[in-house]
């Protein structure tokens, strides 16, 4: 599960077995939730496929991070998909 990006207590990653079967998306884990249940968000639309155990505040934060960093996240998705090396992105809010 390649780690794509981080922001404070949020980790964005790809689950390799589903990259070929679904559009670009990321799984998101919050270290605050004390649960391994991750959310899944579509990169292009910024909509959640599953919410996992993210609080409503964290859902808003994740959506904003994806919207503001969409091109970087899509580039990272494509790098992973094509086997190129990828360095974890440290996300920032504008």
């Amino acid at each position: 599960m390649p780690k794509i990006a981080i922001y404070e207590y949020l980790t964005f990653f790809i689950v390799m077995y589903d990259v070929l079967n679904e559009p670009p998306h990321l799984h998101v884990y919050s270290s605050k939730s004390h649960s391994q249940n991750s959310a899944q968000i579509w990169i292009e639309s910024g909509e959640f496929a599953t919410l996992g155990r993210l609080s409503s505040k964290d859902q808003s934060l994740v959506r904003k991070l994806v919207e503001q960093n969409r091109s970087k996240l899509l580039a990272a998705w494509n790098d992973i998909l094509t086997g190129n090396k990828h360095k974890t992105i440290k996300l920032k809010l504008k």
Side-chain angles (χ1 to χ4, degrees):
M1 293 188 293
K3 186 187 323 182
I4 299 301
I6 55 171
Y7 180 83
E8 294 180 2
Y9 56 90
L10 297 169
T11 302
F12 296 77
F13 61 96
I14 290 177
V15 175
M16 292 305 292
Y17 67 81
D18 64 10
V19 296
L20 298 176
N21 300 320
E22 296 184 16
H25 66 281
L26 296 171
H27 294 263
V28 185
Y29 165 77
S30 169
S31 61
K32 282 184 170 182
S33 73
H34 304 291
S35 170
Q36 295 293 325
N37 193 359
S38 64
Q40 181 181 354
I41 188 165
W42 306 112
I43 298 173
E44 293 174 333
S45 69
E47 296 298 320
F48 284 96
T50 59
L51 295 175
R53 303 234 179 201
L54 291 180
S55 67
S56 57
K57 180 180 173 185
D58 286 344
Q59 290 170 32
S60 296
L61 176 58
V62 167
R63 187 174 280 122
K64 188 179 288 188
L65 286 163
V66 168
E67 288 171 359
Q68 290 184 7
N69 296 278
R70 183 170 284 122
S71 61
K72 289 179 189 176
L73 296 171
L74 282 170
W77 170 275
N78 288 324
D79 282 345
I80 297 295
L81 199 65
T82 57
N84 293 326
K85 293 202 178 226
H86 167 73
K87 187 174 180 180
T88 303
I89 302 165
K90 292 184 180 179
L91 297 176
K92 296 179 182 177
L93 285 176
K94 297 176 187 172

